[in-house]
Amino acid sequence: MTFLFPLVLILWGSVQAQRPPVPDQINFVRQGVRRYIFDDTHTIPLAALNPKEIIGMSAMYPITHYLKSHAQTEVHQHQLIVRSDTETQTAIWFGGFNPFATYTIDLASCEGTGAIGFEFSDAAKAERYVVTVAYQQGHITDVYQKLMRDDEVIINESIAINTETEATLQGKLILQMLGSGLTLYRQHNGLPLPIGQADFTHIDLRKKQYLHTFQSSLHVHIKSGAVRINNVSSALGSGMGLADIRAITYEDGMPLLDQGRLWYTMTIRGRALPHQVQGVFSMDPTVFDLRFEGVILFDRQDGILRNEVASHLFYDRRDSVWRGITTGFSAYANKQEQKQLLAVASAKDPRFGFSVMQAAPFGIVGDIEDPHILYDATAKKWRILTCENNDGYKAIMLESDTWNKDYRRIAGPVAHNSTGTSIQRIGGKRYCFSGSQERKIFIYSYPDLQEAGTLKMDLPPWDETSGARVWPNVVELPDGYPFRYVALMMDRFNYPELEGPNWTYGALYLYHGYDE
């Protein structure tokens, strides 16, 4: 009998070690937080005008003069200088055009009176869209957009915001193009501050024809004086906030762990919907080394490249094709369209650079978003966990025999407000996760959506002043990692000084999790 008690302890310890983990018993400890604001490390270059690289200006960067008097242009001490004593209008070509790119002028100084900005046009200059900042004696006086077709002025109007005080025109001008709108920022010794914003009503730059035919130029309108420019560039960028974080998976829902990195889709923030872009990022889960990998647009075969977001992508190993579900937020740019979920597919790996996935409706129309899809081999069914607006967004489970048609509801809506719905395996068993406005991340059983607790975090990504409808994004790692779980979440602090409605959150919060 004296040896029985130690044996019982050993057997009990073995049972405890084999007990499958339960999600509400995992402890998530915050490891770091970052907010990427037009971050130089998060850019994928498209084109640039670097004065120190110029040999043969006339061939490298052709110049168009619009008035009888021509400005003088020269490169001096690694700066491009444009000057004139009389009124001139000059366009200096520097690259192609992408309606979802970020365009930047690094301005050393401006003297006298005039305007500087960007011109987007076809090679013949038959159609021109121009965004400029007007200045006088080094101070901003207004921000304009101008659209011309065959020398006819279609619009010429101020798009300035935050004009109550004169700002110095120095540092960077950052133009974030968002397909159906734009925001213009100035940055000098601090955060980029918005000075202009517009929604496109007379031109739809999402049309493929503009991606194919438009080009980008530095536009300088001098009445008298000179401007000195350090650099002009265009790039795909990660904006001023990131949200809607979802791990890219295989068809069965297992996270895609490729090259030792987890892969994510995230919404690159612009302003209110539909001014957002679908980004792709990667991260080594043992550290906080987030990389911006690419941008995805979606083609519904109607001549428009759409900036849908809140996507879930998966690699279907059975057919060797990339697939997924996205939310049709681009419908907000056209009152004739309906918001709906879209099935997307691509033979090309869409994670890198600039990608376009084919997209098609599949019958899920309405105020539905945040979809997560997987194939359940046991049930031999495709299932989508998503949020539907039932007096607030609530999680529901849909099911079909086919990945892109004939879905029916099998569970939900749940009782709690839901956002960022996702399905993940914990200890070999699937669970459903959802953020909420209740300052809790709810856990539900799969697939029947019965409540199974809430997530434990030492420092959640919210406080008493912010919203709490975050995306949980919990991932279980395979053996060999120093911790078993990782979660990458965002907060809901909007970017300052933008006008009107906006969803411009947020910062990214990294958590590592361990079992009790």
Side-chain angles (χ1 to χ4, degrees):
M1 293 295 294
T2 57
F3 297 99
L4 182 60
F5 183 64
L7 179 60
V8 169
L9 286 180
I10 292 172
L11 292 173
W12 175 250
S14 177
V15 171
Q16 288 288 87
Q18 296 174 12
R19 179 178 296 173
V22 181
D24 64 351
Q25 296 303 309
I26 300 171
N27 292 281
F28 282 94
V29 179
R30 192 199 289 184
Q31 304 297 310
V33 61
R34 293 288 308 275
R35 180 145 187 169
Y36 298 94
I37 301 172
F38 297 112
D39 193 291
D40 288 340
T41 64
H42 273 197
T43 60
I44 299 173
L46 296 174
L49 189 163
N50 293 310
K52 64 183 179 180
E53 299 173 353
I54 296 175
I55 299 175
M57 175 81 179
S58 58
M60 291 179 70
Y61 302 103
I63 300 173
T64 300
H65 300 282
Y66 291 112
L67 300 180
K68 184 176 181 180
S69 297
H70 294 183
Q72 297 176 346
T73 61
E74 64 173 329
V75 174
H76 180 66
Q77 294 183 344
H78 295 170
Q79 291 180 338
L80 174 65
I81 303 172
V82 184
R83 61 162 56 91
S84 179
D85 295 329
T86 59
E87 186 172 8
T88 59
Q89 287 189 32
T90 308
I92 304 174
W93 180 96
F94 70 89
F97 173 70
N98 188 306
F100 299 95
T102 297
Y103 298 82
T104 304
I105 299 172
D106 186 347
L107 183 64
S109 66
C110 58
E111 303 165 5
T113 304
I116 186 170
F118 297 96
E119 175 181 308
F120 308 108
S121 67
D122 58 86
K125 306 291 186 181
E127 186 172 26
R128 294 192 289 144
Y129 178 69
V130 184
V131 179
T132 54
V133 177
Y135 62 86
Q136 186 171 13
Q137 301 304 323
H139 290 87
I140 297 172
T141 59
D142 215 329
V143 180
Y144 292 96
Q145 68 169 349
K146 185 176 184 179
L147 176 63
M148 298 185 67
R149 294 192 178 106
D150 296 324
D151 295 327
E152 178 186 357
V153 177
I154 307 301
I155 53 171
N156 186 15
E157 63 185 8
S158 172
I159 58 171
I161 61 173
N162 301 320
T163 56
E164 62 275 5
T165 59
E166 287 191 349
T168 301
L169 183 54
Q170 188 177 359
K172 292 182 178 180
L173 290 175
I174 302 171
L175 176 63
Q176 187 184 25
M177 297 291 281
L178 299 157
S180 50
L182 63 82
T183 307
L184 181 66
Y185 298 81
R186 68 175 181 89
Q187 183 178 24
H188 181 59
N189 295 332
L191 284 175
L193 299 176
I195 58 173
Q197 61 186 57
D199 298 343
F200 300 143
T201 55
H202 294 83
I203 188 170
D204 191 344
L205 292 173
R206 301 174 303 165
K207 291 181 178 179
K208 295 180 189 177
Q209 69 185 71
Y210 294 114
L211 177 71
H212 296 160
T213 63
F214 261 29
Q215 299 172 345
S216 302
S217 299
L218 170 69
H219 186 95
V220 183
H221 179 187
I222 294 178
K223 295 184 178 179
S224 65
V227 295
R228 290 174 171 81
I229 297 158
N230 295 321
N231 177 273
V232 183
S233 65
S234 62
L236 301 177
S238 65
M240 87 302 278
L242 294 168
D244 306 343
I245 309 159
R246 186 180 303 291
I248 298 174
T249 68
Y250 292 105
E251 77 285 343
D252 63 356
M254 293 297 291
L256 181 70
L257 191 56
D258 181 30
Q259 303 170 44
R261 305 180 69 79
L262 290 170
W263 297 78
Y264 300 93
T265 52
M266 300 187 200
T267 298
I268 295 169
R269 293 306 197 183
R271 278 187 287 123
L273 293 165
H275 308 303
Q276 324 269 295
V277 183
Q278 183 63 78
V280 181
F281 298 78
S282 71
M283 186 186 71
D284 181 335
T286 65
V287 293
F288 202 175
D289 68 338
L290 196 76
R291 294 180 191 168
F292 176 45
E293 303 283 2
V295 160
I296 303 175
L297 298 180
F298 301 93
D299 185 357
R300 290 178 58 179
Q301 303 300 309
D302 59 359
I304 295 173
L305 294 178
R306 296 170 180 271
N307 49 321
E308 318 297 9
V309 293
S311 310
H312 174 211
L313 301 185
F314 65 92
Y315 184 67
D316 195 333
R317 292 167 291 189
R318 303 172 309 167
D319 296 330
S320 299
V321 65
W322 293 87
R323 289 175 170 149
I325 306 293
T326 192
T327 308
F329 285 116
S330 69
Y332 287 24
N334 186 338
K335 294 181 180 179
Q336 307 305 314
E337 296 182 3
Q338 292 180 294
K339 178 183 175 183
Q340 60 188 304
L341 299 186
L342 303 169
V344 304
S346 172
K348 170 191 175 294
D349 189 336
R351 291 178 294 166
F352 303 100
F354 181 68
S355 299
V356 177
M357 298 187 75
Q358 301 304 306
F362 64 109
I364 303 181
V365 181
D367 198 359
I368 302 172
E369 53 191 54
D370 302 1
H372 186 118
I373 182 173
L374 58 77
Y375 180 70
D376 188 324
T378 302
K380 297 183 179 179
K381 298 288 185 181
W382 288 92
R383 285 174 174 157
I384 296 176
L385 179 64
T386 187
C387 306
E388 184 176 45
N389 195 344
N390 294 289
D391 190 26
Y393 291 100
K394 309 287 179 60
I396 60 173
M397 184 72 72
L398 308 175
E399 182 181 87
S400 176
D401 294 326
T402 309
W403 82 276
N404 60 349
K405 65 179 181 179
D406 299 333
Y407 278 89
R408 64 183 183 89
R409 183 183 303 183
I410 62 169
V414 300
H416 301 283
N417 173 267
S418 308
T419 190
T421 43
S422 64
I423 309 169
Q424 286 295 341
R425 289 182 185 269
I426 303 295
K429 183 179 180 181
R430 290 190 177 106
Y431 293 89
C432 301
F433 296 86
S434 170
S436 76
Q437 63 187 14
E438 300 176 41
R439 303 186 182 278
K440 294 179 182 178
I441 290 175
F442 288 97
I443 305 165
Y444 299 97
S445 60
Y446 167 89
D448 54 355
L449 298 182
Q450 299 301 305
E451 290 188 38
T454 58
L455 208 64
K456 295 169 63 176
M457 294 176 288
D458 65 337
L459 293 169
W462 58 71
D463 65 13
E464 65 279 358
T465 68
S466 68
R469 297 179 63 241
V470 305
W471 288 46
N473 195 46
V474 174
V475 172
E476 183 180 71
L477 297 172
D479 291 337
Y481 282 83
F483 42 87
R484 192 64 169 170
Y485 311 96
V486 62
L488 189 62
M489 308 185 199
M490 83 280 185
D491 65 22
R492 293 179 65 94
F493 286 94
N494 282 326
Y495 199 82
E497 298 194 26
L498 289 163
E499 292 189 353
N502 70 92
W503 291 275
T504 54
Y505 49 87
L508 300 185
Y509 294 69
L510 175 64
Y511 296 84
H512 292 165
Y514 65 93
D515 298 311
E516 285 189 339

